[in-house]
Amino acid sequence: MDRFLQDLKPGERARVERIEGGGALRRRMMDMGIVPGVELEVVRCAPLGGPLQIRLKGYYLAMRRGECARIMVCAPNREYSEPSLASR
Amino acid sequence: MKIALMGNPNVGKSTVFNVLTGSNQQVGNWAGKTVERKSGIIHRANEEIELIDLPGTYSLTAYSQEEIVTREYILREKPDVVMAMVDASNIERNLYLVLQILELAPRVVIGLNMMDLAKTAGITIHSNKLALALNVPVVEITAAKGQGIEEFLAEAIRVGKLKKDPIADDVPYPEELENRIQAMERLLSDTIWATKYPLRWLAIKRLEQDPEIGQTWKSIPQTNQRNRSTDPCCDPGDPVKYELQESVSLPGEALLQAYEAEGWNKDHFEMAVADAKYKYISKILPEFRVNENPVKRTWTDKLDEWILSPFWGYPIMVIILSLVFWFSFVASAPLGGAVSEAMAWAADVIVVIMQWGQMPEVIQSLVRDGIFAGVGAVLAFVPQIAIFFAFFSLMQDSGYLARAAFLGDRFMQLMGLHGKSFFSLVSGFGCNVPGIMATRTLEDPKDRLITMLINPLIPCVPRLGVMSAVVAAFFPGSRGAFIMVSLLLLSMLLVMFSALFLRRVVRQKERSAFVMELPLYHVPTIRNVLLPTWQKTYSFLKRAWTFILVASIVVWVLSSYPQGVPMNETWAGKMGGWLAFIGQPLGFDWRIMVAIVFGFTAKETTLSTLGILYGVAADASQSIAQAMTGAMTPLGAYTFLVVYMLYIPCLASVVTTYKESRSLGWTSFGVAYNLILSFIIGWLIFHGGQLFGFQ
Ligand SMILES: Nc1nc2c(ncn2[C@@H]2O[C@H](COP(=O)(O)OP(=O)(O)OP(=O)(O)O)[C@@H](O)[C@H]2O)c(=O)[nH]1
Ligand SMILES: [Mg+2]
């Protein structure tokens, strides 16, 4: 079942499947290490719909919900097939 | 030899730069402090070295202004050696940029910084194995403790002196990508471009259709670039402007179109290249990194449990901020009082000496009513400035500031502001000039403009100092703290209102992403806390005996001539008279209007001007603010405080707004907005207060 990063609960882990929307946003995420196949964990959510704290590659990142809603994730243990390199 | 410091944001580049050159680049524990290049000359081994500190960047494909500075430098100036700094505690992501640098720059030395942090996090990095894996020299450093920095530099010089460019290992690309890169390489290998840049890098950038490939840029010589007298409170770096010389289209257009038909457009290439780099890093990582216990809870995890807690986070933030303001502006009052008394005493002593020496009356008056009344008034809030800065440095060097941005982001969102605007606004408390420059980290020009225009509404420390001096006089005791808080809340409210208002004025389509790194907490170093505090205080003191001294003398002359007439008949009095019509609706007398006009140059002069015009030193035991109490009601004083807080910060901030926005229109708009807003709010408070019967 595919979900968006935004829907994860604190403490949940997932693997990035695809980043929707193109251009600057996708590149910015790419530079920060959010590429298809990478594993990440939602550490906590700021209250009242604030940003999410995410852990990946051994560091912490804060991201707004709006951005998290564009990152499609799947369960971390699912066998990972070659990234579909979904470029648009 | 030109050596450049490059790396991700917040890896300690400026720390190394400061140690090596003795500069005072801003250092702190959040990403994006350095926003302009800065160079320094050092001498080692009979070699003159120009060391350049660059803004941190996550990749060489740059979007935000400060990243563009770095990219332009590395592409257009081609340093002889790149000192690539890496955060050992976060090596996986850091190496992504290193791989990009290795593709572009032939001579690179890797500096593995924050070895101490990596160790406490349970990460061991074998630097010799990293050097083997990438085929690049690696030096271990702990910049905050000064360890390894000289070795790092020595290694860079050694690499710089090599006869031939060393060869680093290439990133292995998957076959379908590699074939395409090679096809492009064959097309480009005969052009002159291949002599300017590494062929592989050129081919990849051509496939990604990087717009700069094929362009030649020349730097425009800066005319009297050292002229920095306009912003004395901060260093704007060494900006360089470029001019496009020529632009040619490179071969390979047909090939690009063929690839596009196969589904390999430029985005696809970018993604594939990035993906290959990350894969390569994951592959070589186990060779040199041992993470003993990846789930071990670090100090940062434990602290964040509380500090970022959905429940405790905000109360903790309120407590911390209240403590900072209480210490800086309330608890420091006796210190400020002591300084004023000392100044008054010194003025008395000097006047006695001058009387004994039978100096002319005019000189005595100049010293007593001009210099001591003016400069002395300003010196009285040096303690506030020092204490505030010490706390501010503590917050930024520990890493709390980034957490505050995380917690405050919800409010930024409500205001329609970008998350990174937070840092610009917070820096504004220190000084609005770096605050305005900090907007460079915002990618979207509209976000940037809005943040730039509201920044002046944040009261900077000198302003807060003047305000707290006036507050202490009119509202003694705990009432003072309450008034001060109300003023700060008012400024927050107006920032919020203005952001929403400007969002309507400045049309904007798409919002840019907010992704911010949350760094590990650091134990603040004494150097990083006390040095900036001292520097700020010193630059402030320097201003007091240069700029404010001159302003004080000017005001004294204006208010003493023609001689022998009552105060309101003097030049200053006449000038105030013309302005009185603006001040009238706000209940300001002519003195305040004159002070406000002088405040345009720098806000501290408002207090020195008032000191002279209210003629305090005539009775040296009084402070200016106390002298004002006789002439103004508390309501009038509150109105003055509000207007004072809101109208433009200083000339330097206006100049900076113009430099950063490159628009005369928006700069004038910003100035007009500040003036009109301060007038309207002042009027509302004055008349509203009278209506409710406040005095
Ligand atoms: N624990 C530890 N902290 C360090 C070390 N080196 C630097 N720091 C701290 O790391 C933080 C960032 O250092 P800066 O020099 O400002 O980093 P920068 O790379 O110039 O950052 P930007 O200008 O934002 O790109 C500061 O708080 C430093 O005190 C180190 O070796 N160990
Ligand atoms: Mg820096």
Side-chain angles (χ1 to χ4, degrees), chain B residues 8-16 26-34 53-57 113-117 141-145 396-397 522 525 528:
Chain B
N8 277 178
N10 209 30
V11 295
K13 299 176 296 297
S14 300
T15 308
V16 168
Q26 192 194 356
V27 163
N29 192 9
W30 47 279
K33 293 148 306 244
T34 311
D53 185 25
L54 292 168
T57 168
N113 194 26
M114 315 245 181
M115 289 305 284
D116 55 333
L117 273 187
I141 47 184
T142 304
K145 296 190 184 126
Q396 74 163 3
D397 206 41
H522 295 175
T525 59
N528 284 352

Side-chain angles (χ1 to χ4, degrees), chain B residues 38-92:
Chain B
K38 167 91 187 158
S39 60
I41 304 286
I42 47 175
H43 296 269
R44 292 288 185 289
N46 297 328
E47 186 93 32
E48 190 185 88
I49 293 158
E50 188 189 1
L51 194 67
I52 295 106
D53 185 25
L54 292 168
T57 168
Y58 290 108
S59 86
L60 286 177
T61 341
Y63 311 99
S64 51
Q65 203 57 41
E66 96 279 19
E67 291 182 325
I68 290 173
V69 170
T70 303
R71 180 188 152 95
E72 282 180 350
Y73 178 80
I74 199 85
L75 253 60
R76 298 176 187 173
E77 311 257 327
K78 301 212 195 104
D80 299 302
V81 186
V82 173
M83 290 166 93
M85 293 206 37
V86 166
D87 175 354
S89 65
N90 180 7
I91 193 161
E92 195 174 349

Side-chain angles (χ1 to χ4, degrees), chain B residues 462-485:
Chain B
R463 257 189 285 175
L464 284 170
V466 172
M467 284 158 56
S468 73
V470 175
V471 166
F474 279 92
F475 310 95
S478 56
R479 244 177 358 137
F482 176 73
I483 294 283
M484 207 63 194
V485 168

Side-chain angles (χ1 to χ4, degrees), chain A residues 48-67:
Chain A
L48 314 165
L52 270 67
Q53 186 188 1
I54 288 156
R55 185 192 171 114
L56 77 151
K57 292 185 187 286
Y59 81 102
Y60 293 105
L61 204 65
M63 222 185 325
R64 279 188 178 170
R65 273 166 206 271
E67 272 92 54

